[in-house]
Amino acid sequence: QVQLVESGGGLVQAGGSLRLSCAASISIERFNAMRWYRQAPGKQRELVATITSGTTTYTDSVKGRFTISRDNAKNTVYLQMNSLKPEDTAVYYCKAERRLIGANYWGQGTQVTVAS
């Protein structure tokens, strides 16, 4: 059973920073892609950032402020969030994909609250 555990959320003032972590129970090199999503109250879940073995992509609203990275030795993916805005408030979820077997895995989510 693959598990993803997110951590690092919390309450921060606007303009502040947080770093989210997503630790996997298996080698993250076995995943084709790892993604961060977020879901604000009353809104649909939104893709924020993606990392593969060679590329990173971001939704427009976080470009230049958020950075997704990975540490294969620690089986962990990070989301560094800078210049946070109140509209970044959401539960942030980590997702891992193994396309060969058609499997997607989700973490339990971590709350990020940005106060104005």
Side-chain angles (χ1 to χ4, degrees), residues 12-18 81-85 114:
V12 65
Q13 293 293 316
S17 298
L18 284 173
M81 306 186 296
N82 299 328
S83 302
L84 282 161
K85 305 175 181 180
V114 184

Side-chain angles (χ1 to χ4, degrees), residues 56-68:
T56 58
T57 57
Y58 303 90
T59 191
D60 286 346
S61 61
V62 308
K63 284 180 182 176
R65 300 189 298 122
F66 291 11
T67 302
I68 189 170

Side-chain angles (χ1 to χ4, degrees), residues 29-98:
E29 294 179 273
R30 297 174 69 178
F31 300 128
N32 300 99
M34 295 191 74
R35 309 181 195 272
W36 285 99
Y37 286 76
R38 66 185 178 187
Q39 188 165 20
K43 295 189 176 181
Q44 289 189 329
R45 193 168 293 190
E46 172 191 28
L47 176 60
V48 175
T50 297
I51 188 165
T52 65
S53 59
T55 62
T56 58
T57 57
Y58 303 90
T59 191
D60 286 346
S61 61
V62 308
K63 284 180 182 176
R65 300 189 298 122
F66 291 11
T67 302
I68 189 170
S69 62
R70 59 193 292 159
D71 185 334
N72 291 342
K74 294 183 178 180
N75 296 328
T76 299
V77 170
Y78 302 98
L79 186 68
Q80 177 67 45
M81 306 186 296
N82 299 328
S83 302
L84 282 161
K85 305 175 181 180
E87 52 263 43
D88 295 318
T89 295
V91 178
Y92 284 71
Y93 298 90
C94 177
K95 178 188 177 186
E97 300 171 1
R98 295 183 69 188

